[in-house]
Amino acid sequence: MTVSYTLKVANAQFGGFFKLLFRWKGSIYKLLYKEFIVFCCLYAMLSVTYRCLLNEKQKAEFAQLARYCNQYTDLIPVSFVLGFYVTLIVNRWWAQYTNIPLPDQLMCVVSSNVHGGDERGRLLRRTMMRYANLSSVLILRSVSTRVLKRFPTMEHIVEAGFMTREELKKYECLFSDYNKYWIPCVWFTNLATQARRDGRVRDDVALKLLMDELNKYRAKCSMLFHYDWISVPLVYTQVVTIAVYSFFAVCLIGRQFLDPELGDAKTTIDLYVPIFTLLQFFFYSGWLKVAQQIINPFGEDDDDFETNRLIDRNLQVSLLSVDDMYQNLPPIEKDKYWDDQTAAPPYTLATASETLKPSFMGSAFDMRFVGESDQCQQIAVTPNTPRARTPMLSRFLSSAPSPAISMKNFMGRGVRSHHLVRFRGDGFPSPNPNSRINDLEHDSVRRIEEEETEDEKESRASEPPTPKITLKVPRRLEASEQQKKREQPKPSPLLITVDEPSDDSINTDQDES
């Protein structure tokens, strides 16, 4: 039976997890106490042998062996191998649980699309859900030891009511070398087709919906079968097991407390109980035990899936939904908040404090602009409004100022150190005759130009004067260059002449076409 402790950890409180350490069922103590006792006994035997049965020479040799084992213990990658292995097993464990077939969706589709309040309609709906439950029983019987113990033979399934005698004969007459859990699903499809011919299923859309839900249900049965068939590679399991057990076999010798005179010079404390070695054994071996327990969750461990309870629940709920609940509706009445615009369910005294908290409107909902009221001012943008241009790469490569302006200069923030571009609309006619520029736009552009001019003057006054370099060219060289340009022949203009076609050429072209 699955051990559930969800209620114990519903609230994070002091000592919440500490209380779970004293539970026995499903605990690590129950899984590991045998191996832990064996490890402690072997360690104690080697310790007694070293302290009482060996002479001085043998103690020195044993001390050398212990130092050697302790030195190379870290070469075994226990945590690395165990981490990947346990992650793989946990993901596989949860995937198997999500693939257990549950008839909840299928029973809703059957109840809403297979019509008929008479005995024939009731028989169709109940039989279809019984076939679906029979398929899940057959596959769980193949993978779960608990279900196999409950239904050891097909006769037990017949006695439980999942199958009739005639259906058992049909089932046994179909010979196959493979698992035949899919046969009830085929019976379901044939029965759904018959219901469509009889008019119990109104249209083909409803029939397709039935088939789709059945295929999902059958796919989960198939996945359980394949999870049971294809296990985690044996090589991986062997590597992890050998790594853990060999690590602690070496620790039995390497973690012995030696005589300070014969052992390591750093070892000055001689203890009889290796506390940290036992903790390490508890953690690593417990980690491995977790993987061993959940690698096949269809067994009889404390945390394995309760497959028998699932079978009982599925059969009861599915038959109840398609039979007793078919067209069995409560009367439709006006709800309590019919005349209210906002529904406000009452709170108890234990939860009344939750109403004092405002509802969450978004992380940026309460954001305020403190001291920057001009940022919230709206600006009317027209096609002729000056727009900011991004500076080119030459702004960063050359020392000459760029004729572009930044967004900070345009919005009136920051130091203006760039030249402004004169836009259309201020002294220049606009190409658009329908566009008009208001006085506010003219004033904003003029103000930006005046402030920019003042900033340029200040920046030029603060900059050191750059030396001017002039190159004097001899007059003879200038005269020779001008004479060469005059002597160069000017290119003649290119003339293109087009001859007018004659009548003979026109007639020839028409004949060819």
Side-chain angles (χ1 to χ4, degrees):
M1 183 176 180
T2 304
V3 179
S4 180
Y5 57 90
T6 309
L7 181 61
K8 302 295 183 181
V9 294
N11 299 323
Q13 54 186 355
F14 178 75
F17 278 22
F18 187 75
K19 298 177 182 178
L20 301 176
L21 301 178
F22 298 99
R23 304 186 66 172
W24 175 256
K25 187 176 182 179
S27 63
I28 188 62
Y29 318 119
K30 186 177 180 180
L31 288 175
L32 197 62
Y33 76 95
K34 296 180 181 179
E35 286 83 354
F36 190 78
I37 292 174
V38 171
F39 182 80
C40 291
C41 292
L42 292 176
Y43 186 91
M45 290 174 58
L46 288 176
S47 180
V48 171
T49 302
Y50 168 74
R51 296 174 186 274
C52 302
L53 302 179
L54 300 181
N55 53 28
E56 296 298 330
K57 182 179 179 180
Q58 292 173 345
K59 286 184 179 181
E61 294 177 353
F62 184 85
Q64 293 180 359
L65 178 61
R67 288 195 298 270
Y68 176 80
C69 293
N70 190 28
Q71 181 180 359
Y72 294 99
T73 299
D74 296 334
L75 297 180
I76 302 176
V78 182
S79 59
F80 177 78
V81 175
L82 263 179
F84 279 99
Y85 184 72
V86 174
T87 302
L88 173 64
I89 296 301
V90 170
N91 293 334
R92 177 186 172 89
W93 166 77
W94 183 248
Q96 291 182 74
Y97 179 76
T98 55
N99 281 284
I100 293 178
L102 299 176
D104 297 63
Q105 296 182 0
L106 182 60
M107 69 187 186
C108 293
V109 174
V110 170
S111 179
S112 60
N113 292 282
V114 182
H115 301 281
D118 54 350
E119 185 177 356
R120 176 63 180 174
R122 179 186 177 189
L123 181 62
L124 283 173
R125 291 189 298 271
R126 290 181 65 94
T127 305
M128 293 170 73
M129 293 311 303
R130 184 167 58 83
Y131 286 161
N133 283 278
L134 175 60
S135 179
S136 64
V137 169
L138 292 177
I139 191 62
L140 290 174
R141 182 175 173 268
S142 302
V143 302
S144 177
T145 57
R146 292 183 179 183
V147 180
L148 184 60
K149 288 183 177 180
R150 183 180 180 182
F151 306 109
T153 62
M154 296 300 295
E155 292 293 334
H156 291 80
I157 297 179
V158 174
E159 293 177 1
F162 290 96
M163 182 184 291
T164 62
R165 295 288 177 182
E166 295 298 327
E167 292 168 354
L168 179 59
K169 292 180 182 179
K170 289 284 186 180
Y171 182 85
E172 293 177 347
C173 290
L174 299 173
F175 175 77
S176 178
D177 294 333
Y178 305 100
N179 197 318
K180 297 188 291 185
Y181 68 90
W182 47 268
I183 290 179
C185 295
V186 179
W187 291 347
F188 184 101
T189 58
N190 294 334
L191 196 59
T193 306
Q194 184 179 354
R196 176 69 181 95
R197 289 196 302 265
D198 296 342
R200 303 286 179 173
V201 179
R202 302 293 173 80
D203 49 24
D204 294 336
V205 177
L207 180 62
K208 183 179 182 300
L209 184 59
L210 281 171
M211 296 303 178
D212 291 341
E213 291 298 330
L214 179 68
N215 287 331
K216 294 178 183 178
Y217 188 84
R218 187 207 58 80
K220 290 188 175 183
C221 296
S222 178
M223 285 303 299
L224 283 185
F225 178 75
H226 287 289
Y227 270 116
D228 184 69
W229 184 14
I230 308 299
S231 304
V232 177
L234 181 62
V235 178
Y236 201 0
T237 304
Q238 288 177 344
V239 167
V240 174
T241 306
I242 292 173
V244 173
Y245 287 124
S246 61
F247 175 79
F248 288 106
V250 175
C251 286
L252 287 174
I253 302 174
R255 301 295 175 83
Q256 291 287 338
F257 288 98
L258 305 176
D259 188 357
E261 297 180 357
L262 300 176
D264 192 355
K266 298 180 182 179
T267 305
T268 57
I269 301 177
D270 186 9
L271 300 177
Y272 293 96
V273 180
I275 298 176
F276 292 100
T277 302
L278 294 180
L279 289 176
Q280 196 174 23
F281 178 84
F282 187 82
F283 298 148
Y284 284 163
S285 298
W287 210 359
L288 181 62
K289 278 294 180 180
V290 170
Q292 291 177 0
Q293 184 181 20
I294 66 176
I295 191 172
N296 182 13
F298 294 100
E300 299 181 69
D301 295 328
D302 291 339
D303 277 323
D304 286 343
F305 301 150
E306 299 181 25
T307 49
N308 286 324
R309 293 290 184 89
L310 284 173
I311 290 173
D312 298 340
R313 181 260 176 196
N314 293 343
L315 180 64
Q316 181 181 0
V317 171
S318 59
L319 295 180
L320 183 65
S321 63
V322 300
D323 190 6
D324 295 343
M325 295 184 63
Y326 176 74
Q327 299 298 332
N328 187 9
L329 300 175
I332 301 177
E333 298 178 356
K334 293 182 179 180
D335 57 85
K336 183 179 180 180
Y337 309 101
W338 181 267
D339 297 328
D340 297 339
Q341 293 183 355
T342 57
Y347 284 78
T348 60
L349 292 177
T351 59
S353 60
E354 297 180 7
T355 59
L356 303 177
K357 301 177 182 178
S359 59
F360 181 75
M361 303 297 293
S363 59
F365 184 76
D366 295 330
M367 184 176 176
R368 297 291 182 269
F369 295 95
V370 180
E372 298 180 0
S373 59
D374 56 339
Q375 297 182 5
C376 302
Q377 183 179 0
Q378 294 182 350
I379 300 175
V381 180
T382 61
N384 291 328
T385 303
R387 297 180 182 178
R389 298 181 183 179
T390 56
M392 303 299 291
L393 185 61
S394 60
R395 172 187 171 186
F396 302 100
L397 298 181
S398 63
S399 60
S402 173
I405 61 172
S406 63
M407 288 300 296
K408 291 184 178 180
N409 294 330
F410 179 68
M411 298 304 295
R413 291 184 298 159
V415 179
R416 296 172 175 84
S417 60
H418 306 289
H419 289 278
L420 287 176
V421 179
R422 183 171 295 278
F423 299 95
R424 290 185 179 270
D426 190 3
F428 294 94
S430 174
N432 187 3
N434 297 326
S435 63
R436 296 180 179 178
I437 303 176
N438 52 21
D439 297 336
L440 178 62
E441 295 172 354
H442 286 294
D443 295 340
S444 62
V445 175
R446 190 176 298 106
R447 190 183 306 110
I448 293 173
E449 292 179 350
E450 293 175 358
E451 294 179 357
E452 189 66 25
T453 305
E454 295 177 359
D455 294 339
E456 288 179 3
K457 293 179 179 180
E458 294 178 359
S459 61
R460 290 177 181 176
S462 60
E463 292 180 356
T466 55
K468 296 183 179 180
I469 301 175
T470 57
L471 297 177
K472 295 183 178 181
V473 183
R475 295 181 179 179
R476 296 180 181 179
L477 184 59
E478 292 180 356
S480 62
E481 292 292 337
Q482 294 178 359
Q483 185 178 0
K484 287 181 180 180
K485 291 182 180 179
R486 294 174 182 175
E487 293 177 356
Q488 288 182 355
K490 297 182 179 179
S492 60
L494 180 63
L495 299 179
I496 300 175
T497 59
V498 179
D499 296 334
E500 183 179 1
S502 60
D503 296 337
D504 297 336
S505 62
I506 294 174
N507 294 332
T508 305
D509 294 338
Q510 291 178 354
D511 295 337
E512 291 179 356
S513 60

